[in-house]
Amino acid sequence: MTTPGTKRPRTTVVALAVVVVVAYSWWATSLPPFSTSGLVAVLIAGGVLIAVRRSTMRRRDHEADEGTGRVRWPWVAVIAGIGAWELQALFQHPREAHPTISSILDPIEQWHGARLVLFFAWLWLGWQLAS
Amino acid sequence: MSSRTLTFVGWGVVAAALVLVQVLAARGARVATLRVLLRSVTRARAGQVLALAGWLWVGWHVFVRSSR
């Protein structure tokens, strides 16, 4: 049970964290490709995310049975399909005729907004993996 | 059908399959959700370290080593 006195600071912290993450993400995705600053920005984001998630994580005992009785083979099939399709495209040329995930993303990444969305998706995935 | 079109059709098929599996899982089918799958992978320490290393590599590949 939370009291108004304890809920407000937590809400403030979360709101502040969201502002910081959005601002940092905007800055990190505005850095030029192949730059040291871009590399450092990604590494700092990754390191801080892992550290924050590890320090704020609750025990996962209650999640032990979350996936009981649920099959995973459809995911294995989908991931194998993605891997196989990526490899067959990667080893064929020219790239324009056989686009890989990277070459499909490249033109999309021309837009800063698209890079920002991809960065948020990347952060979300990292948060899940660090849990 | 050109190679380019065929490759895009393939990407469309695997993307549709990914969405379909997640939708089926979210609607209560006996399929693990993506979240449950990730939890399964990261439950073991080695799995989590490998997954996070792969995740950092993806970040570098997409946001640093981009040819935009």
Side-chain angles (χ1 to χ4, degrees):
Chain A
M1 197 172 100
T2 57
T3 62
T6 58
K7 191 174 182 180
R8 181 168 291 178
R10 182 176 165 76
T11 307
T12 306
V13 168
V14 170
L16 191 63
V18 168
V19 170
V20 169
V21 168
V22 170
Y24 185 89
S25 301
W26 181 268
W27 171 75
T29 53
S30 69
L31 297 170
F34 295 99
S35 65
T36 304
S37 55
L39 174 64
V40 171
V42 167
L43 288 176
I44 287 176
V48 169
L49 181 142
I50 292 169
V52 169
R53 185 57 184 141
R54 300 295 297 176
S55 65
T56 60
M57 200 169 63
R58 297 193 186 105
R59 288 176 60 83
R60 290 169 50 182
D61 294 350
H62 66 286
E63 295 176 357
D65 297 329
E66 191 182 0
T68 304
R70 289 179 170 247
V71 294
R72 286 155 177 77
W73 66 261
W75 284 112
V76 174
V78 168
I79 292 166
I82 292 171
W85 202 246
E86 173 76 359
L87 284 176
Q88 73 81 27
L90 187 65
F91 289 112
Q92 294 192 73
H93 297 282
R95 181 61 57 234
E96 280 181 13
H98 304 279
T100 59
I101 294 173
S102 299
S103 62
I104 292 170
L105 286 180
D106 278 343
I108 296 170
E109 285 193 81
Q110 302 293 324
W111 290 286
H112 192 181
R115 291 200 301 278
L116 191 64
V117 170
L118 287 172
F119 199 79
F120 289 147
W122 180 70
L123 291 178
W124 175 86
L125 181 62
W127 189 263
Q128 298 301 319
L129 293 174
S131 300
Chain B
M1 187 183 286
S2 69
S3 298
R4 182 177 172 81
T5 305
L6 183 64
T7 307
F8 271 111
V9 168
W11 282 125
V13 169
V14 291
L18 191 150
V19 172
L20 178 68
V21 171
Q22 176 62 17
V23 168
L24 286 174
R27 294 181 71 170
R30 289 188 61 249
V31 180
T33 59
L34 182 57
R35 194 185 191 93
V36 168
L37 183 79
L38 293 176
R39 290 282 182 276
S40 303
V41 171
T42 58
R43 190 160 289 141
R45 186 75 173 169
Q48 185 172 41
V49 170
L50 277 175
L52 285 170
W55 170 72
L56 281 172
W57 179 84
V58 168
W60 167 78
H61 187 68
V62 174
F63 303 110
V64 182
R65 195 193 159 280
S66 163
S67 59
R68 66 178 185 268

